[in-house]
Structures are given as structure tokens and as C-alpha cells.
Amino acid sequence: MKKDRATIHDIALKLNITASTVSRALNDNPRISDATKKKVLKVAKQINYQPNHIASALRSGKSRLIGVIVPTANRNFFSSVIRGIEELANSLNYKIIISQSYDDFEKEVQTVEALLNARVDGIIASIAKTTENVDHFKKVLEKGIPLVLFDRITNALEVSQVVIDDHYGAYQTVDHLIKNGCKRIVHFTSNPRINIYHERRRGYEDALKDNGLEVDPNLIIFSNLQLEDGRRIMQEIIDSKIDFDGVFSSSDYSIMGALQVLKENGYKVPAQVKIAGFGNEPFTSFTEPPITTVDQKSIPMGKITAESFFELLNADSASSVAKKTILKPELIIRKSSTNNS
Amino acid sequence: MKKDRATIHDIALKLNITASTVSRALNDNPRISDATKKKVLKVAKQINYQPNHIASALRSGKSRLIGVIVPTANRNFFSSVIRGIEELANSLNYKIIISQSYDDFEKEVQTVEALLNARVDGIIASIAKTTENVDHFKKVLEKGIPLVLFDRITNALEVSQVVIDDHYGAYQTVDHLIKNGCKRIVHFTSNPRINIYHERRRGYEDALKDNGLEVDPNLIIFSNLQLEDGRRIMQEIIDSKIDFDGVFSSSDYSIMGALQVLKENGYKVPAQVKIAGFGNEPFTSFTEPPITTVDQKSIPMGKITAESFFELLNADSASSVAKKTILKPELIIRKSSTNNS
């Protein structure tokens, strides 16, 4: 059985090159000449050296590129997930190229085409807010190209998905606001067809109910959750004289806008109104008061997303390993929501 | 000369298809079948229809992808430039794929390889802080692939470049601080081999000199300009008892850190210390006080960068159109630097 335990050092010895060169050749590193790669693979076969790497090195026409589609790379959450994906991918000698949908359905369809054009070996995506159907992703699967979704997922596709427990994150936040005295909590939400907004709203409603509070539809406001949306909605609520003592937003951007408008209107945060966002964007710790929010575990999410992707890439049949991973987010309590300030 | 005035409607009529399909076929739209494209191009030739489009549609093996390399897409400046590039590119039926160098030389070399692997028609790049040589970009030029640089450029490459007038932006800012009473202004800067930091430092020094103030090397501090760097440096300066009444940072992130530490140490901003950053990151308007900064005209920069790129792509010889465009940045004055607050 000696042949089965062959190492890269055996190959290196036979060819009078370093083990590191052998390793790079087996990983299809572009810095190694094709001639050396061929020699290494030939010897590797002769002495029955058989790690997973060979299979991928022998696979022809691979670009070693993974396409990542995000609504926008200019969000701490998405850029951190990409970083997590990139770290694992780079360690396996894969490179990441990013394409942005700008939360636009038509653009998302085009980005999928662009990535296929770039001959990516697979696609990792978070779906646009306005996406109406997933035919463009079905085309990817029909071509036998691995696809993994994260955060903004859909049940219309049988693929591996990585999400956080949005219901849990929202529930924890609203429960915390209630424990700090809030009874009339406004909720900023968005398109209920997007799983994350639907789940966060469910978490909000369940926390109210479990604490014996009424769910008032007048306090649940739909928008695109941008800073300007938060500003506009907060001003409308103030003008309407609706009674409220807390705001929980599904996005840090709209809660930032709400905080500005509350202060402009003379409200004391947190003394009169307690607020919390979702996403842990860096600016939430820069504001006065700093804003309570939910951290989405973006780096682990990126790592696990990449792991799911490579499982799929190395599997014989795609469907056999499709799985859903759910991560627990973390409530970050800051001054904006607490009594002792 | 009737043949010279042939339109897409003539082609549509001959093939019994819509003008819009003809237009898409001529633009090599992936939604149009190859068979239709061939027919359209054949008829276009027959009737001597000759807009620029044909040349590009006839060019074989084009991916209609432009690779964009940035240190990180998670900066308002870079993401806005990308957006500007993307708007023009998309209108010409080109798609953008992004690759991040994370300001790491080795990674930058790999991103260039990855984009070439993706068969991009050209590359637009902003150079990493740690880049030591530009051989990887020279390889791109040797392959005849168009290359345009923006913001973080280098004189070692004969290519089109788009920058802002960093000297002007810094000069305006420091002159403004002096006019508001500052006499001892600390400057946060970074690697002087990077043009933008070198130019901003020159602007800082020239504004001091032109106002009859001394340039004190003890007040010029080098770092990576992250938030943590700003925190550390500010604390060191306070601890060292060096006399200062203003801080001008080449980055909004490090001035943010400095503001936090100043406040933690009981300094009043702007009453005792006036501060200004560079970049106009959105969070600079969220802080208390809001931070004076320099807007880098990112959307126009993206648009002009893309225009330079397409000029190059459509030119016969690359070197004939290489040019440098310099945009004027804009000083955004906020509370952190003014007396009347």
C-alpha cells in the first residue's frame, strides 16, 4: 500500500523541484508553467497521488473564478460577507469577482449574464429587493454551475442557502425595547416578499404579543429603508400626532434618518423615544447617542457561504448537498435604547 | 449615395424583424441568438450600414466586460466612482465586474490575473497603497488590453489617468482652518509614494507657508489612516503635550477616530480644536459636530474615467489618446471647523 501514501514530496523528488512548486502546480497556480503542471500531474498519476486537488486541476477549462452578486458592495454587511468568502476562496486559489445588482431586477439578470460571460466556475448571490422571478438563476443551475444564496434568499430555488435568524434578531431587539419601557414601537420594514424583512417583522410582532402588547398596523411602515425614507416617515409620524415611544427599523440607514428628524423636532433619545436598527453599520457607533442594532455575523456568514459553495463544487451531484445554514445574530445594545443614560 | 444613409430600419425590413432586435443584434446583446446576429451583420454589410457599433460587434471574442480594480468597494468614494463608470458602460451595453486588492500588492497582482482570466475587454484601476512595482499592469498593456487609472495613479505607466486636484483640496481646507484661527495644525498622512497623500501633504504645507505659518515636522504623522490609527495618533499627541489647535486628516476614517478621542479627553470641537477630513464619507455628516471634509467628485470621476476608457477602446493605437484629466474637489464646510457654533 506504499503507493497510496504518496506525498507531494515524492513528486518533488522525482522531478527535482520543490514541494511548494508541486503544490502550486496541483492547485493550478498561474505562476507555474503549463509544462511543469503537466509533468507534475503525470508523475502524480504514476505514483497514485490522489488528493481532491488533482480532480480540480485535471478538470479542463476552469477559470477558478467565483462570481458574487450583491445589491451593492458599499454596505458593511455585504462587503464583510464578501471578505469572508474571499478569505476561504483565496486559500483554495480561487478568485472572487463582484457584480452589483443595485437592487434592480433587470440589472440582476444582466449581472448573471455578465458572470457567465466571464466563465465563472460558480455564483454566490444575495437577491435584489425588486426581483420578480428567478429564471435567470434557474439558467445557471441548468448549465450545471454551482449556485449558493446568502441573506436574501428565495424558496423558489433548490440550492444551498446561508441566512441569519432574522426573526430571532428582531425578537431580541423588540423585547429589549419593551423591557426598557417602550409600549408603542414603530416598525420600519420593506417588501414582505424578501425573506429578511418578513422574518424581522414576524420577530417584532411576536415580541409584542409575548409581552402582552397590541400589534398596531398603523405603526408598521413600508419603504425602501434608505436614510431619506427614515427621515420622511419619522416626520410624517410626528406630524400625524400618532402616539409612539420607540422605533425599531429593519435597516440602520432609515433609523439614522429617523434619529436626525427626532432630534430636529426636539425629541430626547433615549429619554423620550428609544430606537434600534439592524445591520451594525459602522456609523451606528459614531452617532449621538450611539444606536442599538443587530450584528449579522457577516464574516462567519461569508466563510460558511464559501464552504457550502466548495462542498457543492466538489460534489458529484449538486442536489445531494443543498442545505440551509441559519446563524444567530447578536443584539448590540448601545445608548439609544437604554434607560440609564 | 443612398446606400450611405442606410438605417437599422432598412435592415429590419429586409429580415422582417423589429428595429429594436436589429439594434440589440448590432450591440451584441446576449439575448439575441447568434443566428440572428449573423443575419443582421450580413445585411448591414450588404447595404453598407456603418456606425461604430458594427466594428465592435464584428470584433471577435469580445466579452463586453470591463474589470474594475479598487482597494475596497466598501468606501463611498470607490463605490460612487464604480457607479459612475457603470452608468456609462451599461448604456453602451458593457458590464462591470469588480475585484478588490484590499490595498495589498500581492492581491492586486492576483486580481489582474483573475480579470484577464475572465477575458475582460479592459481594466480600470485605482492602485493599492502597498504596490511596489507595476509589472502586472505592464503585462495588461503588452496584451493590448486598454487600461485606465483613477485617483491612485502612477507615473510609471503611460496610460490615461483621472484624478482630483488633491493639492487644491488640501490647500483650501487648511487655508479655511487657518482663517478660522488655527495656528498649530496636525496633519494625518500616509505612504508618500501614493500620489494622493503626497499631494494633500503638499497642499497642507503650501497653505501654511502662504499664511506665514511654520511647517513643523512633529505635527505630520504617517499611518494607514484607519479609524484606529486616528484614535491611536490623537491619544499619543494629547499624551505628548504637543501644542495643537487643529487637525487635518487625509482620510475621513482617521479624523473620525481623532474626534472620538478628543471628546473622550474633554476637548471641545470646534471651540478648542478644529478638525477636517478628506473624502466626504456619509458618516461625516452624522457625527456631532458634523465634520468638515473634501468631496472628491466621485460620480463625475467615474463618468470621465469610463469616457477615457471607451476612447481608448475605440482608438486605433492606445498611446495616441493617453491623457490626464484633473477634477477640482469641493470643500464641504461643517460645524467641526468653524467659529460660530
Side-chain angles (χ1 to χ4, degrees):
Chain A
M1 294 297 287
K2 198 167 172 253
K3 273 161 87 188
D4 283 343
R5 286 181 291 136
T7 70
I8 56 169
H9 297 286
D10 300 324
I11 304 170
L13 210 65
K14 280 210 176 233
L15 291 169
N16 198 22
I17 56 180
T18 66
S20 133
T21 301
V22 172
S23 167
R24 284 182 184 166
L26 290 172
N27 281 295
D28 203 21
N29 187 313
R31 299 211 165 167
I32 305 297
S33 74
D34 286 342
T36 303
K37 282 175 193 169
K38 271 186 193 157
K39 275 187 216 160
V40 167
L41 288 173
K42 199 177 162 195
V43 172
K45 263 190 164 176
Q46 279 169 1
I47 65 172
N48 199 22
Y49 176 78
Q50 283 186 320
N52 291 331
H53 300 309
I54 281 198
S56 65
L58 286 174
R59 224 181 271 145
S60 64
K62 290 291 158 185
S63 64
R64 301 194 82 89
L65 294 173
I66 305 167
V68 178
I69 302 172
V70 288
T72 160
N74 182 25
R75 278 281 186 284
N76 191 52
F77 171 68
F78 289 120
S79 73
S80 298
V81 173
I82 291 170
R83 188 151 203 153
I85 295 171
E86 203 147 19
E87 276 171 13
L88 180 62
N90 287 356
S91 75
L92 297 169
N93 202 28
Y94 274 78
K95 302 286 173 294
I96 299 297
I97 53 179
I98 306 161
S99 201
Q100 303 180 99
S101 68
Y102 292 108
D103 262 327
D104 180 85
F105 173 50
E106 196 57 39
K107 275 203 197 298
E108 183 175 276
V109 173
Q110 291 166 359
T111 60
V112 170
E113 280 164 3
L115 291 176
L116 293 178
N117 242 351
R119 299 184 303 178
V120 293
D121 290 345
I123 292 178
I124 294 173
S126 200
I127 296 176
K129 273 183 203 161
T130 55
T131 291
E132 292 154 22
N133 70 61
V134 291
D135 293 349
H136 49 308
F137 287 121
K138 283 185 182 151
K139 250 188 255 167
V140 172
L141 295 175
E142 280 159 16
K143 283 176 190 276
I145 292 172
L147 172 68
V148 173
L149 300 178
F150 70 93
D151 194 49
R152 303 218 206 134
I153 60 171
T154 171
N155 291 325
L157 291 168
E158 279 271 336
V159 297
S160 285
Q161 312 192 326
V162 184
V163 293
I164 59 159
D165 190 338
D166 285 282
H167 179 279
Y168 173 89
Y171 187 101
Q172 296 294 312
T173 309
V174 174
D175 189 64
H176 158 78
L177 288 171
I178 298 168
K179 297 273 188 295
N180 278 269
C182 294
K183 289 187 161 45
R184 298 272 302 162
I185 303 171
V186 175
H187 180 44
F188 294 173
T189 186
S190 190
N191 188 345
R193 281 186 311 187
I194 308 289
N195 62 302
I196 61 170
Y197 302 119
H198 179 71
E199 286 299 302
R200 290 173 198 174
R201 183 180 158 191
R202 280 211 316 115
Y204 159 82
E205 292 179 356
D206 287 347
L208 291 178
K209 287 176 202 160
D210 289 354
N211 282 280
L213 294 172
E214 177 203 6
V215 175
D216 181 350
N218 293 321
L219 297 183
I220 300 174
I221 323 279
F222 293 81
S223 78
N224 265 326
L225 298 175
Q226 300 303 299
L227 188 134
E228 286 310 317
D229 298 309
R231 287 191 62 92
R232 177 179 49 74
I233 294 165
M234 201 69 251
Q235 192 62 56
E236 282 169 12
I237 288 172
I238 291 169
D239 293 344
S240 74
K241 315 272 184 206
I242 289 177
D243 185 32
F244 73 99
D245 54 15
V247 185
F248 166 55
S249 168
S250 262
S251 149
D252 281 339
Y253 286 85
S254 48
I255 201 69
M256 178 71 226
L259 175 61
Q260 290 174 345
V261 167
L262 284 169
K263 287 161 76 174
E264 285 163 22
N265 283 271
Y267 286 84
K268 302 272 180 235
V269 178
Q272 291 170 287
V273 179
K274 291 176 179 54
I275 66 172
F278 208 108
N280 199 17
E281 286 290 330
F283 65 76
T284 54
S285 65
F286 301 161
T287 53
E288 281 193 17
I291 301 173
T292 292
T293 186
V294 178
D295 186 85
Q296 296 177 91
K297 301 290 165 203
S298 44
I299 297 272
M301 181 179 274
K303 192 167 168 281
I304 291 163
T305 302
E307 282 168 0
S308 299
F309 176 82
F310 283 107
E311 264 178 43
L312 206 58
L313 191 70
N314 295 321
D316 292 333
S317 153
S319 60
S320 65
V321 293
K323 63 177 186 182
K324 188 164 177 175
T325 309
I326 303 172
L327 302 173
K328 281 258 181 295
E330 183 188 0
L331 175 61
I332 311 286
I333 297 173
R334 301 203 183 98
K335 265 192 192 171
S336 75
S337 64
T338 52
N339 280 319
N340 48 344
S341 65
Chain B
M1 294 297 287
K2 196 169 175 255
K3 272 162 86 187
D4 283 344
R5 286 182 289 135
T7 70
I8 56 169
H9 298 284
D10 300 323
I11 303 171
L13 210 64
K14 282 212 173 227
L15 291 170
N16 198 24
I17 56 180
T18 66
S20 135
T21 301
V22 172
S23 168
R24 283 180 185 170
L26 291 172
N27 281 294
D28 201 20
N29 187 312
R31 298 205 167 179
I32 305 296
S33 74
D34 286 342
T36 304
K37 282 175 193 169
K38 270 185 193 159
K39 276 188 216 157
V40 168
L41 287 172
K42 198 176 163 194
V43 172
K45 262 190 165 175
Q46 279 170 3
I47 65 172
N48 200 22
Y49 176 77
Q50 285 189 317
N52 290 334
H53 302 307
I54 282 200
S56 63
L58 284 174
R59 226 181 270 146
S60 63
K62 289 293 160 185
S63 64
R64 300 193 84 87
L65 294 173
I66 305 167
V68 178
I69 301 171
V70 288
T72 162
N74 180 26
R75 278 280 186 283
N76 190 53
F77 171 68
F78 289 119
S79 72
S80 299
V81 173
I82 291 169
R83 188 150 202 154
I85 295 170
E86 203 146 20
E87 276 171 13
L88 181 61
N90 287 354
S91 77
L92 296 168
N93 201 28
Y94 275 78
K95 301 288 173 293
I96 298 297
I97 53 178
I98 306 160
S99 201
Q100 303 180 100
S101 70
Y102 292 109
D103 262 328
D104 179 87
F105 173 49
E106 195 59 36
K107 276 203 198 298
E108 183 175 276
V109 172
Q110 292 166 358
T111 61
V112 170
E113 280 165 4
L115 291 175
L116 293 177
N117 241 351
R119 300 183 303 178
V120 293
D121 289 347
I123 292 178
I124 294 174
S126 200
I127 295 177
K129 272 183 202 161
T130 55
T131 290
E132 291 153 22
N133 71 62
V134 291
D135 293 349
H136 49 307
F137 287 121
K138 282 185 182 151
K139 251 188 257 169
V140 172
L141 295 175
E142 280 159 16
K143 283 176 191 279
I145 292 172
L147 172 69
V148 172
L149 300 179
F150 71 92
D151 194 49
R152 301 215 208 139
I153 61 170
T154 171
N155 290 325
L157 292 169
E158 279 272 334
V159 297
S160 283
Q161 313 192 324
V162 184
V163 292
I164 60 158
D165 190 338
D166 286 283
H167 179 278
Y168 173 88
Y171 188 101
Q172 297 295 311
T173 309
V174 174
D175 189 65
H176 158 78
L177 288 171
I178 297 168
K179 297 272 189 294
N180 278 268
C182 294
K183 288 188 160 50
R184 297 271 302 162
I185 302 170
V186 175
H187 180 44
F188 294 173
T189 186
S190 190
N191 187 346
R193 281 186 309 188
I194 308 288
N195 62 302
I196 61 171
Y197 302 119
H198 180 71
E199 285 300 301
R200 290 173 198 175
R201 183 179 158 190
R202 280 211 315 117
Y204 159 82
E205 293 180 357
D206 287 347
L208 291 179
K209 287 177 201 159
D210 290 354
N211 281 281
L213 294 172
E214 177 202 5
V215 175
D216 181 350
N218 293 319
L219 296 183
I220 301 173
I221 322 279
F222 294 82
S223 77
N224 265 326
L225 298 174
Q226 300 304 300
L227 186 135
E228 286 309 315
D229 299 309
R231 287 190 61 91
R232 177 179 49 77
I233 294 165
M234 202 69 251
Q235 192 61 55
E236 283 168 9
I237 289 171
I238 291 169
D239 292 344
S240 74
K241 316 274 183 201
I242 289 174
D243 186 32
F244 73 99
D245 55 13
V247 185
F248 166 55
S249 168
S250 262
S251 150
D252 282 339
Y253 286 85
S254 48
I255 202 69
M256 180 69 227
L259 175 61
Q260 290 175 345
V261 167
L262 284 168
K263 286 161 76 175
E264 285 163 22
N265 283 270
Y267 285 82
K268 301 270 181 237
V269 178
Q272 291 170 287
V273 179
K274 291 176 178 56
I275 66 170
F278 208 107
N280 200 16
E281 287 290 330
F283 66 75
T284 53
S285 64
F286 301 161
T287 53
E288 282 192 17
I291 301 173
T292 293
T293 185
V294 178
D295 186 85
Q296 297 177 92
K297 301 288 166 208
S298 43
I299 297 273
M301 181 180 273
K303 190 164 169 285
I304 291 164
T305 301
E307 282 167 2
S308 299
F309 175 83
F310 283 106
E311 264 179 43
L312 205 58
L313 191 70
N314 296 322
D316 292 332
S317 151
S319 61
S320 66
V321 293
K323 64 176 184 182
K324 188 164 178 174
T325 309
I326 302 172
L327 303 173
K328 281 261 182 288
E330 183 189 358
L331 176 61
I332 311 287
I333 297 172
R334 302 204 183 98
K335 264 193 192 171
S336 74
S337 65
T338 51
N339 280 318
N340 47 344
S341 65

